[in-house]
């Protein structure tokens, strides 16, 4: 029972509404004839359709099945943050929305979803037949908001396999809206769903509610919202008791039972962590060694440097002399045309593709949310929750790509913490390849241990400090765990391709901009001046040779340029100097493209703070670590 | 109202008295935080006092009296609970604010 509020806290019309007789077992009655507040739906006129539903119920699959387009389909709740748009036919646009549990603007996803949903002419509410008691709460809220609705009862096959029987006819009568049973992955029921759209209607409101305006008003106030929610929950429970019957309790098929045991095993404190270690090592082998090393070696050095770049340089050389600044700007060492092409298609494209294949496989198998659960213990201590593990893993591939993916986090606070950690402590795969080579020179495993231990300490300290300093509180982990499934390779391929393409389209201009800035710095001689100015600092603070300054500045251009520069100097460096330099370059400003993404995602003020903060941290901690290692000879 | 709830939630279980807000204190032996439940244990959701968490729970389909099974418990980390066919991971701190009645 929700606590009863003193009536003076509530507006008079609400008091009247709440004192009305509360939820009785719901009576079945014919569908309401009044179709919606704007009058009957005229399907020959343009009507905007919006999909709404809880996370991971299959909205995106329904969207794809209806439009023939591709929206991100995943077995990880909360992956649709932007709104994909398509067309049912020439006059009926249709939009997908992020999965939400309710429309109360409790998170950014909810705000995005609510705006789209309340503006719709027709809402398709996708509910998962196996989790109806949760999903119908949103359905009833949509009805209480007087939105013309059609319910798609999705994954009806899975419910049946689990022994759950749902009486659709009674459900439709009780809700007062059409209910269509679908198995969207198999395209079943999609035509029926399309045919039902013109029949969309405003359903039966929660007994005791007045109208949509009053309900929305009540839901803006925390105390009265609880009362409305309580009544709605009771009403939904009453509906459930009349339409759902559990025939048997056990998963039926062998595959379901196996999936169930596997899901449990993967969350075991010991086995689960061991499996996670194996999965991450496999990721490292696949993306870090095969893709970042072997494949990128071929695409960058052979395809780009031998086949594609030389003809471009030659062509530009025909138009302008090779010594002119125009040539240097366009086709020189950091030329806007040559370096962007080489970096975007030679390095990033294969890398991001490889990363997304792996992540998509993890996601569609249902393992990714379990990684989020396993890492929640650590992440909740630094102001994040388990969901932040996705951007952090992606960061080891490309920090730029990872920063874009911080959009899956619920609050701005979490996004700030995650972006800062990415900018400061996570080395991207371009760097990791060179770091590996340097570590081999600095004594292998022991050097790795020292390097990783320092980075981990810095990550935890930074996260803890941000968590303490930033106002507010981070959200706790609340995550739906989908069943473990065999991923569909078709979906993995499609998803990988869409994501890679989206990233390349989004990041390319930033990389071009980065090259242009470096080009200007080089032509004006500023690049050299920065290096000269930085040199005393590297000598006196970091106890490194003066040339290391060049390495740091190059690290801004491309993080691996920096690390590669160090490799060239490695023979003259002591082990302590190698570790100091590697930590400094890891903490130091991320590449220019990721700086541009920070600026785009986090705003100018925050991005500037992150960038200058990482400079200060890199030199400050670099100096401290060099002294610690000189005093305590760990390497 | 109560009859509706019991029909839906507990057709086959011995009913424990549901806590009213006044007596849902952690001191009672029949009520303790979800965070203290054991793996494999069945519990019945008590009355959540924190309004924000109560709201969250209602939206997730966890109303007072709902039956939950604790499926996994990470050391100092989240709990995985099963409610009906839904499997939910809930952060440990959140589980400290959710009172439950043990059933076994």
């Amino acid at each position: 029972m929700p606590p009863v509020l003193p009536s003076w806290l509530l507006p008079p019309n609400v008091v009247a509404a709440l004192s009305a007789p509360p939820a009785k077992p719901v009576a079945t009655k014919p569908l309401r004839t009044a179709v919606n507040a704007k009058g009957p739906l005229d399907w020959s006129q343009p009507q905007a359709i919006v999909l709404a539903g809880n996370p991971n119920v299959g909205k995106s699959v329904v969207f794809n099945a209806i439009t023939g387009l591709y929206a991100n389909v995943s077995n990880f709740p909360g992956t649709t943050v932007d709104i994909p748009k398509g067309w049912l036919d020439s006059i009926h646009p249709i939009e997908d929305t992020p999965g939400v549990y309710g429309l109360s603007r409790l998170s950014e996803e909810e705000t995005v979803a609510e705006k789209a949903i309340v503006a719709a002419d027709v809402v398709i509410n996708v509910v998962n037949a196996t989790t109806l008691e949760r999903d119908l709460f949103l359905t009833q809220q949509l009805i209480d908001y007087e939105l013309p609705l059609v319910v798609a009862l999705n994954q009806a096959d899975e419910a049946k396999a689990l022994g759950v029987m749902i009486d659709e006819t009674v459900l439709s009568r009780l809700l007062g809206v059409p209910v269509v049973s679908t198995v969207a992955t198999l395209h079943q029921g999609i035509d029926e769903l399309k045919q039902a759209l013109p029949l969309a209607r405003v359903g039966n409101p929660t007994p005791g509610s007045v109208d949509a305006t009053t309900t929305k008003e009540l839901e803006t106030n925390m105390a009265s919202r609880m009362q409305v929610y309580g009544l709605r929950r009771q009403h939904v429970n009453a509906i459930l008791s009349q339409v759902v019957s559990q025939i048997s309790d056990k998963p039926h098929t062998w595959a379901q039972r196996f999936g169930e045991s596997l899901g449990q095993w993967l969350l075991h404190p010991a086995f689960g962590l061991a499996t996670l270690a194996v999965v991450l090592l496999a990721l490292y082998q696949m993306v870090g060694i095969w893709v970042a090393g072997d494949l990128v070696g071929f695409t960058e050095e052979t395809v780009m440097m031998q086949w594609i770049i030389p003809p471009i340089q030659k062509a530009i050389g025909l138009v302008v002399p090779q010594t002119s600044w125009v040539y240097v700007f366009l086709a020189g060492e950091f030329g806007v045309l040559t370096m962007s092409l080489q970096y975007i298609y030679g390095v990033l494209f294969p890398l991001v593709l490889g990363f997304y294949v792996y992540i998509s496989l993890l996601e569609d198998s249902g393992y990714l949310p379990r990684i989020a659960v396993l890492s929640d213990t650590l992440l909740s201590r630094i102001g994040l929750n388990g969901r932040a593990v996705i951007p952090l893993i992606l960061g080891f591939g490309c920090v730029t790509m990872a920063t874009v993916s911080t959009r899956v986090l619920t609050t701005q606070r979490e996004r700030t913490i995650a972006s800062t950690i990415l900018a400061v402590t996570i080395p991207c795969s371009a760097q990791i390849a060179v770091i590996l080579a340097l570590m081999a020179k600095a004594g292998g495993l022991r050097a790795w241990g020292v390097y990783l231990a320092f980075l981990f300490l810095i990550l935890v300290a930074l996260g803890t400090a941000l968590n303490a300093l930033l106002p507010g509180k981070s959200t706790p982990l609340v995550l739906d765990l989908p069943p473990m499934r065999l991923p569909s390779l078709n979906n993995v391929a499609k998803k990988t391709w869409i994501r890679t393409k989206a990233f390349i389209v989004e990041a390319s201009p930033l990389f071009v901009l980065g090259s242009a800035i470096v080009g200007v710095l080089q032509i004006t001689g500023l690049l050299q001046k920065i290096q000269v100015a930085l040199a005393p600092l590297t000598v006196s603070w970091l106890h490194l040779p003066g040339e290391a300054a060049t390495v740091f500045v190059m690290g801004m251009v491309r993080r691996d340029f920096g690390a590669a520069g160090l490799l060239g100097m490695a023979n003259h460096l002591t082990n302590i100097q190698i570790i100091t330099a590697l930590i400094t370059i890891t903490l130091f400003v991320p590449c220019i493209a990721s700086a541009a993404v920070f600026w785009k995602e986090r705003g100018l003020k925050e991005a500037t703070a992150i960038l200058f903060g990482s400079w200060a941290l890199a030199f400050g901690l670099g100096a401290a670590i060099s002294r610690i290692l000189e005093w305590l000879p760990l390497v | 109202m109560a009859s509706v709830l019991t029909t839906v939630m507990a057709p086959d279980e011995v009913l424990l008295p549901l806590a009213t807000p006044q007596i849902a204190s952690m001191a009672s032996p029949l009520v303790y935080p979800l965070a203290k439940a054991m793996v494999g244990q069945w519990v019945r959701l008590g009355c959540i006092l924190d309004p924000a968490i109560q709201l969250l729970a209602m939206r997730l389909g966890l109303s007072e009296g709902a039956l939950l099974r604790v499926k996994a418990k990470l050391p100092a980390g989240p709990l995985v609970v099963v409610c009906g066919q839904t499997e939910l991971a809930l952060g440990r701190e959140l589980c400290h604010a959710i009172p439950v009645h043990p059933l076994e």
Side-chain angles (χ1 to χ4, degrees):
Chain A
M1 273 289 290
V4 177
L5 275 182
S7 55
W8 51 266
L9 267 177
L10 303 170
N13 56 341
V14 175
V15 177
L18 291 174
S19 56
K24 294 182 288 233
V26 185
T28 58
K29 55 181 176 183
L31 297 177
R32 281 216 252 175
T33 44
V35 170
N36 70 45
K38 299 171 201 164
L41 272 183
D42 183 354
W43 204 243
S44 62
Q45 293 301 310
Q47 307 281 355
I49 307 161
V50 170
L51 282 155
N54 281 200
N56 219 32
V57 292
K59 276 184 308 303
S60 299
V61 195
V62 172
F63 177 83
N64 298 343
I66 292 179
T67 58
L69 291 172
Y70 186 85
N72 211 353
V73 174
S74 74
N75 200 12
F76 188 97
T79 40
T80 309
V81 180
D82 302 316
I83 292 194
K85 296 183 171 102
W87 292 86
L88 176 72
D89 52 44
S90 58
I91 54 168
H92 297 106
I94 177 164
E95 290 181 358
D96 195 5
T97 56
V100 291
Y101 297 110
L103 300 178
S104 310
R105 302 200 172 192
L106 296 185
S107 68
E108 187 148 333
E109 283 163 4
E110 265 180 44
T111 312
V112 170
E114 195 206 349
K115 272 189 197 154
I117 292 166
V118 296
D121 295 310
V122 175
V123 177
I124 301 176
N125 175 217
V126 184
V127 297
N128 182 336
T130 65
T131 55
L132 212 53
E133 59 191 85
R134 182 198 68 194
D135 293 18
L136 278 190
F137 187 83
L138 176 67
T139 310
Q140 192 58 45
Q141 189 175 27
L142 295 168
I143 291 173
D144 291 343
Y145 282 14
E146 295 174 359
L147 294 161
L149 206 65
V150 173
V151 170
L153 187 64
N154 198 30
Q155 301 183 17
D157 55 337
E158 279 189 30
K160 207 174 266 179
L162 288 165
V164 178
M165 295 303 286
I166 297 162
D167 190 331
E168 288 162 43
T169 324
V170 178
L171 180 63
S172 170
R173 281 217 202 110
L174 295 178
L175 292 174
V177 302
V179 175
V180 181
S181 190
T182 59
V183 183
T185 45
L186 302 176
H187 222 279
Q188 285 172 14
I190 297 299
D191 290 335
E192 291 82 346
L193 181 63
K194 286 182 185 173
Q195 285 159 15
L197 289 176
L199 306 173
R201 58 194 65 220
V202 174
N204 304 324
T206 303
S209 65
V210 184
D211 55 32
T213 320
T214 318
T215 307
K216 285 180 191 167
E217 200 181 304
L218 279 171
E219 289 189 17
T220 53
N221 170 311
M222 184 60 143
S224 52
R225 184 197 281 164
M226 299 248 294
Q227 204 137 9
V228 174
Y229 271 35
L231 288 175
R232 188 175 294 145
R233 187 73 253 171
Q234 281 172 22
H235 179 62
V236 168
N237 288 349
I239 292 178
L240 284 164
S241 70
Q242 294 181 54
V243 297
V244 179
S245 43
Q246 180 85 39
I247 292 175
S248 69
D249 209 16
K250 289 277 171 218
H252 275 198
T253 64
W254 175 87
Q256 276 167 342
R257 276 202 301 273
F258 178 72
E260 166 96 354
S261 322
L262 185 66
Q264 191 148 9
W265 192 70
L266 292 172
L267 289 171
H268 187 277
F271 297 128
L273 286 176
T275 316
L276 179 60
V278 171
V279 167
L280 292 181
L281 276 176
L283 169 68
Y284 173 69
Q285 177 65 38
M286 187 179 133
V287 184
I289 308 281
W290 293 337
V291 177
D294 303 344
L295 184 61
V296 169
F298 173 72
T299 51
E300 187 184 15
E301 276 145 38
T302 310
V303 177
M304 285 292 156
M305 301 294 277
Q306 289 178 18
W307 300 348
I308 295 183
I309 308 275
I312 294 178
Q313 287 176 322
K314 211 169 166 187
I316 295 176
L318 290 177
V319 186
V320 286
Q322 291 205 358
T323 45
S324 72
W325 67 266
V326 180
Y327 181 87
V328 175
F329 183 74
L330 290 177
E333 195 186 352
F334 311 117
V336 171
L337 280 178
T338 44
M339 192 171 99
S340 308
L341 268 182
Q342 179 194 340
Y343 204 23
I344 296 168
Y345 293 102
V347 181
L348 275 179
F349 181 71
L351 206 60
V352 171
L353 196 73
F355 232 89
Y356 273 140
V357 167
Y358 201 82
I359 292 288
S360 305
L361 276 172
L362 290 184
E363 186 178 85
D364 280 16
S365 65
Y367 187 53
L368 205 53
R370 285 167 173 86
I371 297 184
V373 174
L374 288 169
S375 52
D376 185 63
T377 311
L378 172 69
L379 293 175
S380 62
R381 276 166 179 65
I382 57 171
L384 296 170
N385 68 47
R387 285 175 78 151
V389 79
I390 298 164
L392 294 187
I393 291 182
L394 288 177
F396 288 99
C398 169
V399 170
T400 312
M401 161 175 84
T403 309
V404 174
S405 78
T406 55
R407 288 177 200 159
V408 304
L409 303 180
T410 315
T411 61
Q412 292 297 339
R413 184 180 199 268
E414 286 156 47
R415 290 179 203 179
T416 301
I417 297 178
S419 306
T420 312
I421 286 177
L422 280 171
V424 177
T425 56
I426 307 285
C428 69
S429 57
Q431 267 181 319
I432 293 174
V434 191
I435 293 175
L436 266 176
L438 274 165
M439 285 301 179
K441 289 203 166 153
L445 218 55
R446 200 155 156 195
W448 265 116
V450 173
Y451 171 76
L452 291 178
F454 273 122
L455 269 193
F456 183 75
L457 280 177
I458 295 167
L459 187 152
V460 172
L462 184 66
T464 313
L466 286 171
N467 189 26
L469 293 175
L470 289 175
K473 211 169 165 256
S474 290
T475 49
L477 179 74
V478 175
L479 193 62
D480 254 297
L481 295 182
M484 294 295 293
R485 293 190 184 117
L486 207 60
S488 137
L489 292 182
N490 190 18
N491 190 41
V492 167
K494 267 189 193 166
K495 183 181 340 208
T496 302
W497 179 244
I498 297 278
R499 284 176 169 173
T500 308
K501 206 170 112 188
F503 173 71
I504 295 291
V505 168
E506 186 159 355
S508 292
L510 303 175
F511 281 97
V512 174
L513 180 73
S515 308
I517 293 173
V518 178
V520 170
L521 288 179
Q522 197 193 19
I523 292 164
T524 54
L526 269 173
L527 199 62
Q528 225 176 353
K529 280 186 188 143
I530 297 175
Q531 287 167 6
V532 172
L534 220 53
L537 204 61
T538 56
V539 176
S540 62
W541 270 70
L542 301 173
H543 297 183
L544 291 174
E547 310 94 78
T550 315
V551 170
F552 294 133
V553 175
M554 292 322 298
M556 278 176 64
V557 182
R558 259 180 67 166
R559 288 183 116 187
D560 58 328
F561 275 7
L566 273 183
L567 195 58
M569 301 166 48
N571 289 334
H572 318 291
L573 297 176
T574 64
N575 287 352
I576 295 177
Q577 284 178 321
I578 290 181
I579 302 279
T580 308
L582 280 181
I583 288 181
T584 311
I585 204 159
T586 308
L587 301 183
F588 199 61
V589 189
C591 70
I592 285 193
S594 51
V597 168
F598 287 134
W599 173 64
K600 197 174 157 205
E601 293 288 316
R602 311 297 325 142
L604 188 60
K605 204 169 126 195
E606 200 177 310
T608 313
I610 291 179
L611 295 183
F612 283 100
S614 75
W615 272 57
L617 270 180
F619 281 92
L621 289 172
I625 285 165
S626 76
R627 276 154 193 77
I628 292 174
L629 290 176
E630 281 160 18
W631 173 68
L632 188 74
L634 289 171
V635 285
Chain B
M1 224 181 295
S3 67
V4 173
L5 269 179
T6 45
T7 333
V8 178
M9 294 302 169
D12 52 355
E13 298 285 342
V14 181
L15 270 177
L16 287 168
L18 293 182
T20 64
Q22 288 75 28
I23 64 159
S25 86
M26 301 300 166
S28 157
L30 282 181
V31 188
Y32 54 73
L34 176 59
K36 295 220 166 120
M38 307 288 204
V39 176
Q41 195 176 359
W42 282 91
V43 294
R44 189 190 299 285
L45 199 64
C47 177
I48 300 169
L49 296 179
D50 183 318
I53 296 174
Q54 193 182 16
L55 210 70
L56 182 75
M58 267 192 250
R59 289 150 50 114
L60 293 171
L62 306 175
S63 38
E64 189 180 337
L67 286 175
L68 307 177
R69 184 167 61 87
V70 180
K71 191 173 173 184
K73 211 173 158 180
L74 277 292
L79 268 77
V80 178
V81 296
V82 182
C83 176
Q85 302 296 340
T86 317
E87 207 172 310
L88 276 173
L90 304 170
R92 181 60 69 101
E93 214 177 307
L94 186 64
C95 295
H96 277 293
I98 301 177
V100 292
H101 306 266
L103 286 182
E104 287 163 21

